[in-house]
Amino acid sequence: MEDITKENKIRLSGLDKNELENFMESLGEKKFRASQILSWLYTKNASNFDEMTDIKKDLREKLSEISYITDVKIKTKQISTDGTLKYLLEYKDGQTAECVLMRFDNRANLTACVSSQIGCAMGCKFCATGQRGIIRNLEPYEILEQILTIQRDTGLKVTNVVFMGQGEPFNNYNNMMRAIELINNCLMIGIRRITVSTCGIVPKIYDISNEELIPTLAISLHAPNSALREQIMPVEKRYNIEELKKALKFYTEKTGKRVTLEYVLIGRLNDTKECAAELAYFMKDLKCNVNLIPYNPVNTDINFKKPDKKDIMKFKYILEASGKKVTVRLERGADIDAACGQLKGRVEK
Ligand code: SAH
Ligand code: SF4
């Protein structure tokens, strides 16, 4: 280990118990040290080695010579009037991505909304991230760090994680799965409290249905038929709504879990009674519930409008009459651009 220079110090964030045990053994230390470090990293949210008071001083010194906890920094932090926090994180190559912490007054839940990529290649017409194009995938620890950063900064324990920030998680499948494993094993967040949202990368829906650790699935549907979906989501040309439905049925049957259909309501485009009726028909034989998301205006060339309140209620009513559970997503953090679809990373204006 003597030849380890500052430049190639070992990063501890993102290592699991096994990897930490191997690291300790390589230093000639006892295995149980790994459990102590694990707890400091992921339960007690340590940001430096001095905090690790039950680890003997000479080992702490050695650790700080040859390793470091993280290289992810908070670049900016914004607080919304409703308590939503938005962080812009900076990664070691200078790229940035956002994560959001949502608190719901009436619940003990603290939900972290994480990004899976920097930018996104899918180009949905209503989405700010989509207008940016894809820059790169995030590494598993770069995803995990979003939750850890929130915990270190607030001293609070995140209870739920949704992959609904920037990026298409299924376009970064392996890193997403490893991040889920770490979130589940190291941060001890139950798999049922982890939700992945996808625009509908069909082959990956089959893949995830066959995993050992299967998160809850949310699908960005946004239209009840192929023609309308194609107008707002380029992915429809690749994997159409019928193929998507087949894959969703496979997921629900294989896992016994329900899927959530997300539906962004855009004023006078997909929020009509006819669309609601068609959507009700589409999901009749699907084990699902629906989350209606009023469109958040973003700065794109396209002139989409917010839906009217009364149209939202009508839409909801028609779906409920078909026996599905329907929720309307509250707009969280709209004053700090932390609402759905508004995450862009570093805003280039
Ligand atoms: N790429 C994934 C996850 C990130 S987007 C996906 O598309 O599912 C998280 C959710 O926000 C998706 O349902 C997305 O369609 C929605 N969204 C994007 N732009 C929005 C906007 N301007 N207003 C409301 N919701 C938006
Ligand atoms: Fe990408 Fe999701 Fe935005 Fe579509 S809605 S562009 S898939 S982040």
Side-chain angles (χ1 to χ4, degrees):
M1 281 289 167
E2 290 95 63
D3 60 342
I4 287 184
T5 61
K6 267 203 181 330
E7 292 76 56
N8 50 30
K9 282 185 173 189
I10 292 165
R11 171 180 33 78
L12 300 187
S13 175
L15 298 189
D16 64 16
K17 189 160 180 233
N18 250 329
E19 291 163 337
L20 283 169
E21 279 176 357
N22 292 341
F23 179 46
M24 284 301 114
E25 278 185 329
S26 75
L27 299 180
E29 293 289 336
K30 295 259 161 38
K31 265 191 177 181
F32 79 92
R33 294 285 175 207
S35 305
Q36 288 179 312
I37 295 174
L38 197 80
S39 150
W40 282 109
L41 288 178
Y42 302 127
T43 312
K44 301 182 206 154
N45 305 316
S47 44
N48 64 66
F49 294 108
D50 295 335
E51 288 175 51
M52 304 184 178
T53 45
D54 57 0
I55 294 171
K56 52 189 182 178
K57 195 148 183 258
D58 56 337
L59 177 55
R60 271 188 272 151
E61 276 166 7
K62 185 146 139 210
L63 283 174
S64 65
E65 272 164 34
I66 62 171
S67 68
Y68 61 95
I69 294 178
T70 184
D71 48 29
V72 179
K73 292 187 228 124
I74 298 178
K75 187 155 184 177
T76 61
K77 171 184 171 184
Q78 286 173 275
I79 307 173
S80 163
T81 49
D82 66 19
T84 301
L85 297 176
K86 182 174 81 171
Y87 296 87
L88 182 67
L89 301 188
E90 185 175 316
Y91 293 112
K92 73 168 185 288
D93 62 353
Q95 290 292 345
T96 57
E98 284 161 324
C99 58
V100 174
L101 179 70
M102 294 169 285
R103 314 155 190 245
F104 298 97
D105 297 336
N106 52 346
R107 285 186 252 159
N109 286 356
L110 282 176
T111 302
C113 174
V114 300
S115 298
S116 54
Q117 298 183 306
I118 295 176
C120 180
M122 302 313 290
C124 301
K125 298 272 169 29
F126 46 81
C127 172
T129 310
Q131 308 312 309
R132 227 186 137 185
I134 178 72
I135 295 174
R136 71 167 172 87
N137 283 332
L138 289 175
E139 296 292 319
Y141 90 94
E142 292 178 321
I143 298 172
L144 182 77
E145 269 293 326
Q146 297 173 44
I147 305 162
L148 282 172
T149 301
I150 289 172
Q151 295 195 157
R152 284 187 206 113
D153 186 62
T154 61
L156 299 168
K157 167 97 179 77
V158 168
T159 60
N160 297 62
V161 176
V162 294
F163 282 74
M164 294 186 185
Q166 286 158 251
E168 169 47 53
F170 280 5
N171 283 347
N172 187 18
Y173 188 85
N174 292 342
N175 289 352
M176 170 202 73
M177 283 312 297
R178 176 64 182 153
I180 289 173
E181 215 170 85
L182 292 168
I183 293 166
N184 184 240
N185 289 340
C186 299
L187 300 190
M188 321 262 241
I189 297 177
I191 191 66
R192 284 191 313 275
R193 291 173 175 271
I194 303 174
T195 301
V196 173
S197 174
T198 176
C199 66
I201 312 289
V202 166
K204 300 294 179 206
I205 298 176
Y206 289 101
D207 287 351
I208 208 161
S209 309
N210 290 316
E211 294 284 351
E212 230 165 85
L213 205 54
I214 306 175
T216 303
L217 197 56
I219 298 292
S220 292
L221 194 69
H222 307 332
N225 61 56
S226 198
L228 188 54
R229 197 163 190 261
E230 202 180 294
Q231 279 180 40
I232 54 178
M233 299 177 77
V235 68
E236 178 66 21
K237 289 195 196 88
R238 186 92 193 271
Y239 306 111
N240 71 46
I241 193 166
E242 289 309 322
E243 287 175 65
L244 178 58
K245 184 164 170 186
K246 260 191 228 147
L248 295 180
K249 288 193 101 165
F250 183 82
Y251 172 90
T252 57
E253 279 156 23
K254 181 91 201 301
T255 66
K257 291 173 187 249
R258 207 171 282 281
V259 289
T260 298
L261 300 182
E262 298 163 278
Y263 194 101
V264 172
L265 287 166
I266 304 171
R268 285 174 287 272
L269 182 72
N270 65 354
D271 66 343
T272 60
K273 282 186 282 186
E274 292 72 26
C275 282
E278 203 176 348
L279 179 60
Y281 182 75
F282 175 85
M283 58 188 192
K284 217 171 64 180
D285 56 347
L286 192 63
K287 190 171 171 188
C288 66
N289 40 42
V290 190
N291 192 209
L292 299 175
I293 314 169
Y295 168 68
N296 287 309
V298 293
N299 291 331
T300 63
D301 298 338
I302 288 162
N303 198 15
F304 288 155
K305 290 177 191 63
K306 281 185 166 206
D308 288 339
K309 276 231 166 64
K310 66 170 196 327
D311 292 331
I312 301 176
M313 294 330 287
K314 262 192 231 156
F315 202 95
K316 180 169 188 261
Y317 179 78
I318 293 169
L319 296 182
E320 276 171 345
S322 75
K324 299 292 180 190
K325 184 174 161 232
V326 186
T327 48
V328 178
R329 188 174 299 173
L330 290 173
E331 204 175 34
R332 310 297 302 181
D335 56 333
I336 55 169
D337 285 356
C340 280
Q342 294 187 332
L343 303 183
K344 267 202 280 201
R346 203 151 149 202
V347 189
E348 296 96 17
K349 277 191 180 146

